[in-house]
Amino acid sequence: MNDITPVGRITSMLLEAGYRSVSSPLVIGGLRFDFPAALVGTEPSPDLILIADTAFEQEERLVAKLEGAARALDVARSKRPLTVVIAGPRPSPSKLEIMSRVCRVLPTGTVLDNDTDGSLRNWLAVLLPLRLPEANHAPIADALEQVSKLGAGLDKEVAELVIPAKQGTRAVQVQLHKIIDAAVADAYRDGTS
């Protein structure tokens, strides 16, 4: 898609992320809803994403359409979460609050043609797959080994928990119980309990 409009750029980014476009106008339970674009996700994010542009639509009309779409989804017993991505001027706080009662609202603000800082990607981050940094293939130090080397500076009880840590959580639990039992026995002998 080579659409350079804000709606087009948002749609393109979501299509690249694996969402599927839904034909327009959107039909839910026999009712038609006219949005500039609509997309659906697949597992694990099966959202129905509606894209609106407040530069060309009044806030009141957008609120009414979103409330209608949310109600139609409820009546149809849809399990899809509803999300609206708003391009254009940010709606008033009162309208945003009303919209957020029926769906997740992601206002993107003004989408610039030269979005070199990735602000659009940041606004849509909750809908996009997580980008992990490339793995560093340098040898990774054993964290437990490093902690055990620092064990000289730790309390005796904490240092005693580091040693069985390599054997797993159960070994640490057993050692912790021994430390607690010893502390209780000492307190009982001292007559402090």
Side-chain angles (χ1 to χ4, degrees):
M1 179 180 272
N2 290 332
D3 190 350
I4 60 169
T5 65
V7 170
R9 294 190 59 218
I10 292 167
T11 303
S12 293
M13 191 171 284
L14 293 174
L15 288 171
E16 289 172 15
Y19 290 89
R20 290 182 297 116
S21 186
V22 177
S23 63
S24 187
L26 178 65
V27 178
I28 305 171
L31 300 173
R32 296 169 52 131
F33 298 94
D34 193 23
F35 285 92
L39 300 102
V40 291
T42 57
E43 290 297 331
S45 303
D47 296 53
L48 170 60
I49 301 170
L50 305 175
I51 302 175
D53 192 345
T54 54
F56 300 104
E57 186 161 28
Q58 294 180 353
E59 291 179 8
E60 292 80 17
R61 177 76 180 127
L62 176 58
V63 168
K65 286 190 331 186
L66 287 172
E67 289 177 329
R71 181 69 182 133
L73 287 169
D74 286 344
V75 169
R77 294 190 171 145
S78 173
K79 301 289 186 209
R80 289 189 185 273
L82 180 60
T83 300
V84 63
V85 179
I86 301 175
R90 187 179 186 94
S92 67
S94 63
K95 298 298 184 215
L96 283 173
E97 182 180 342
I98 293 168
M99 287 182 232
S100 68
R101 290 180 190 158
V102 297
C103 64
R104 176 170 48 181
V105 181
L106 299 175
T108 62
T110 305
V111 179
L112 302 175
D113 289 338
N114 61 348
D115 184 25
T116 56
D117 64 350
S119 60
L120 180 58
R121 179 166 290 286
N122 290 338
W123 285 322
L124 299 176
V126 71
L127 298 174
L128 301 176
L130 182 62
R131 285 181 165 175
L132 297 175
E134 287 296 318
N136 185 355
H137 297 294
I140 299 173
D142 182 10
L144 289 175
E145 190 65 35
Q146 289 182 348
V147 171
S148 60
K149 286 179 183 176
L150 299 173
L154 298 174
D155 288 338
K156 177 183 174 247
E157 290 84 8
V158 174
E160 289 175 356
L161 291 174
V162 172
I163 295 167
K166 289 183 180 182
Q167 298 166 2
T169 56
R170 183 70 185 134
V172 173
Q173 289 173 342
V174 168
Q175 183 63 30
L176 180 60
H177 286 258
K178 288 179 183 176
I179 292 169
I180 293 171
D181 290 342
V184 169
D186 287 347
Y188 186 74
R189 272 195 306 269
D190 295 342
T192 57
S193 81

